[in-house]
Amino acid sequence: MSFFSELWAFMKARKKFWLLPLFIIAILLGALMVFSQGSAVAPFIYTLF
C-alpha cells in the first residue's frame, strides 16, 4: 500500500492527476488478463489484443 500512497503524493505534489486514469486502466487490464487466464472467456478476450 505504500506504493499507492507514494504515487498519490507524487501526483498531488506535481499536479499530474491525469496519470490516475492511465494507472487505473492498466491495473484493470492486468486484472482482466489474470482472472480470465483459466476461464472459457479467455480466447475471446485475447482476440481483443
Side-chain angles (χ1 to χ4, degrees):
M1 290 304 292
S2 66
F3 171 74
F4 294 111
S5 63
E6 287 182 26
L7 179 64
W8 178 252
F10 169 77
M11 288 190 301
K12 196 169 152 184
R14 302 278 194 264
K15 306 282 192 261
K16 303 243 183 233
F17 294 110
W18 56 271
L19 288 172
L20 189 60
L22 294 175
F23 283 118
I24 290 173
I25 289 172
I27 289 170
L28 288 175
L29 283 175
L32 177 69
M33 290 175 69
V34 167
F35 290 128
S36 68
Q37 190 75 26
S39 71
V41 187
F44 301 110
I45 292 175
Y46 287 121
T47 59
L48 296 176
F49 299 106

